[in-house]
Amino acid sequence: MRSSRHQRLNRRKVVVFILIILAAFWGIHHFTATSSRLKSAWNKIVYTSNNNVAIAVYSPKTHRTYTSSNVPGHKFHMASTVKVSILAGLLVKQNGFLSSHQSSLAKQMIEASDNNSTNKLFDDLGGQEGLQSTFNQFGMTDSTANTSWGLSTTTPKDQIKLLNNIFYKSKILSSNSQQYINNLMSNIESDQLWGVSASSNHFALKNGWLEYGKEKWIINSIGYVKTESGNSYTIAMYSDKNQSMQTGEEVLNQLARVTKPILN
């Protein structure tokens, strides 16, 4: 009797072990398949572009971040995408509370990308020091704050850390703060619907654009996409040395378009 029971227990252990191995194998296979498909689609755009361009995407389905760049290690000026960091940092600093005046400024800063509103909230955050503290809190180790907020530097992979705290689980932002930022990023003015929003119906984004010296046009787009199948992902795309704003936008649009069907 004991021998029979012992054998059954051993068989169960073997079955469980096999299931664990199969699950691990499926996870690795799914990750590598997704990674190779994204790399193949992205690299046709990234490595044929005359600009500097980089992309990072996080999929909660695989729990992985995927990246591609034709300038590995390059840090991009953030332009107006930094406004999401400023708002997130201010919400953390003030325990999720904004005054009615600050709320009005935040709406203008994110939805209309108003720079005067940003200046005031940047000061409320504590300027360069406050912004750097925000980067540090969110683990954005490759991001550096500047006294001119738009010239702060970052990488797409660092931005994914911030975006994941907004759109997925966070130990830093409260659920109310997450929803507040999400709502503003989901209500961007129509003339700024490019980049992350390309070929998508359900998205939240913040774009940035700046003509700056030798870097020519800096064109960036960060945000979140929910697909028709119910999957979702966060995405950050950065570029500089674009000949024009339009050409930079089109490169990011192309990257966004080829990403969606792979992660759908």
Side-chain angles (χ1 to χ4, degrees):
M1 189 72 173
R2 287 182 180 177
S3 177
S4 177
R5 186 178 298 169
H6 183 70
Q7 288 175 352
R8 285 199 299 271
L9 287 172
N10 283 339
R11 282 197 295 269
R12 287 175 186 170
K13 288 179 181 178
V14 170
V15 170
V16 169
F17 179 74
I18 291 172
L19 289 174
I20 291 172
I21 294 298
L22 289 174
F25 176 79
W26 183 89
I28 293 170
H29 172 74
H30 188 72
F31 166 69
T32 54
T34 301
S35 179
S36 61
R37 290 178 66 199
L38 287 171
K39 291 277 188 182
S40 176
W42 288 344
N43 290 350
K44 291 173 185 176
I45 301 167
V46 169
Y47 289 105
T48 58
S49 297
N50 294 322
N51 59 351
N52 294 331
V53 60
I55 181 173
V57 169
Y58 171 79
S59 167
K61 189 173 182 179
T62 62
H63 305 286
R64 301 283 184 172
T65 298
Y66 308 91
T67 63
S68 180
S69 175
N70 59 9
V71 279
H74 182 60
K75 294 184 179 180
F76 294 86
H77 285 115
M78 295 175 72
S80 286
T81 62
V82 75
K83 294 169 182 178
V84 179
S85 294
I86 292 172
L87 179 55
L90 192 59
L91 285 165
V92 172
K93 179 182 178 182
Q94 299 182 181
N95 297 314
F97 175 79
L98 298 182
S99 68
S100 58
H101 180 58
Q102 287 176 326
S103 294
S104 177
L105 293 174
K107 181 178 176 66
Q108 287 298 309
M109 176 176 73
I110 300 297
E111 294 183 3
S113 204
D114 182 71
N115 291 336
N116 290 330
S117 298
T118 307
N119 290 335
K120 294 171 183 176
L121 293 178
F122 182 59
D123 289 342
D124 289 347
L125 178 60
Q128 180 183 15
E129 184 178 345
L131 182 57
Q132 188 61 55
S133 176
T134 298
F135 292 155
N136 296 342
Q137 285 176 299
F138 285 97
M140 300 164 69
T141 54
D142 288 323
S143 298
T144 303
N146 191 292
T147 52
S148 297
W149 44 263
L151 296 182
S152 300
T153 56
T154 193
T155 63
K157 196 170 182 179
D158 249 13
Q159 289 299 304
I160 291 296
K161 296 175 183 178
L162 173 66
L163 292 167
N164 285 354
N165 271 279
I166 295 170
F167 296 100
Y168 300 119
K169 292 181 180 179
S170 177
K171 294 181 179 179
I172 304 170
L173 291 167
S174 69
S175 57
N176 286 339
S177 292
Q178 288 179 301
Q179 191 60 53
Y180 180 71
I181 301 172
N182 187 343
N183 288 343
L184 293 180
M185 292 178 68
S186 299
N187 197 38
I188 299 297
E189 292 190 352
S190 58
D191 62 337
Q192 298 174 39
L193 296 182
W194 47 266
V196 169
S197 61
S199 299
S200 294
N201 296 319
H202 188 162
F203 56 84
L205 66 80
K206 183 69 195 83
N207 292 335
W209 58 96
L210 176 68
E211 189 174 17
Y212 184 68
K214 293 181 179 179
E215 293 187 6
K216 301 178 182 177
W217 277 96
I218 299 164
I219 305 295
N220 309 323
S221 186
I222 65 172
Y224 163 92
V225 172
K226 188 170 183 178
T227 69
E228 287 77 8
S229 65
N231 292 323
S232 67
Y233 54 91
T234 47
I235 176 171
M237 301 177 287
Y238 280 77
S239 69
D240 57 34
K241 294 196 174 180
N242 296 286
Q243 294 299 318
S244 67
M245 182 174 178
Q246 184 178 5
T247 57
E249 286 180 15
E250 185 50 37
V251 170
L252 302 195
N253 287 343
Q254 290 176 26
L255 286 170
R257 288 190 192 107
V258 299
T259 299
K260 185 183 174 184
I262 297 172
L263 296 180
N264 192 0

